Amino acid sequence: MPPQPSQPQVRKNILKFLKSFLGIIRILQIVFGAGLWVTIAANKYEGSIHFVLFVAVLFWLLTLALFFLTLLDKQDLVPLLGGERWLCTNLAHDVAAAVLYLPAIGVMIYKTDRNSYCNLELYKHHCLYKVYLTAAVFACLCCLAYLVSVIYGACRKCRGEQTVI
């Protein structure tokens, strides 16, 4: 078992990751993803919104796991996916997230459009238009964050880099 790094070295690694491009992008993905699923879950939802909620919660949890594994520099402990494959693992995760967020955006735009009739000031009944609009914006921001992460990871992979930070 390799020797454990000292406490100041661990803090230094954590700060290095938090200040890195990938660390910032991961934080944005976590914040936008949480915004999306909290917005949906806090209100009444039905039908195809379940898919959006599934995508949002799944990738929020996976991104949280990737974030903390990288933050704590424990990616070598992940069987089959860690170590030298960690950059590819992150890239595959980001591609899958971006691909699944695209139909989620479509669903949210469709639902927003379907509820646009109740955006009138004189409409007095409960209306989900603003909820769906907010969720659509969060879904777009999530997808954009994952696409930026895909481009960044692909560029790093093409240059032959192996580490995430």
Side-chain angles (χ1 to χ4, degrees), residues 10-78:
V10 170
R11 257 194 212 120
K12 194 176 188 182
N13 288 343
I14 288 174
L15 288 175
K16 180 180 176 186
F17 176 67
L18 289 175
K19 291 179 183 178
S20 71
F21 184 77
L22 186 62
I24 294 168
I25 286 292
R26 287 282 184 244
I27 291 170
L28 289 175
Q29 291 166 350
I30 291 167
V31 168
F32 294 150
L36 174 58
W37 73 259
V38 166
T39 300
I40 293 172
N43 294 282
K44 182 181 171 202
Y45 58 92
E46 83 291 329
S48 55
I49 299 293
H50 287 95
F51 171 75
V52 178
L53 195 59
F54 168 75
V55 169
V57 171
L58 173 71
F59 284 105
W60 183 78
L61 290 172
L62 289 174
T63 303
L64 212 54
L66 289 176
F67 176 76
F68 281 113
L69 283 170
T70 308
L71 179 72
L72 300 174
D73 202 24
K74 298 295 183 188
Q75 59 267 25
D76 293 334
L77 299 177
V78 181

Side-chain angles (χ1 to χ4, degrees), residues 121-135:
E121 283 188 33
L122 299 176
Y123 193 82
K124 299 295 181 201
H125 301 288
H126 181 69
C127 176
L128 293 174
Y129 174 78
K130 291 180 182 175
V131 172
Y132 290 156
L133 182 62
T134 304

Side-chain angles (χ1 to χ4, degrees), residues 46 48-49 103-116 129 132 136:
E46 83 291 329
S48 55
I49 299 293
I105 291 169
V107 167
M108 291 315 308
I109 291 173
Y110 173 77
K111 288 290 194 174
T112 303
D113 188 48
R114 291 284 308 240
N115 284 284
S116 62
Y129 174 78
Y132 290 156

Side-chain angles (χ1 to χ4, degrees), residues 65-66 69 74-90:
L66 289 176
L69 283 170
K74 298 295 183 188
Q75 59 267 25
D76 293 334
L77 299 177
V78 181
L80 299 174
L81 302 174
E84 295 176 357
R85 298 183 188 113
W86 193 243
L87 184 60
C88 286
T89 300
N90 278 272

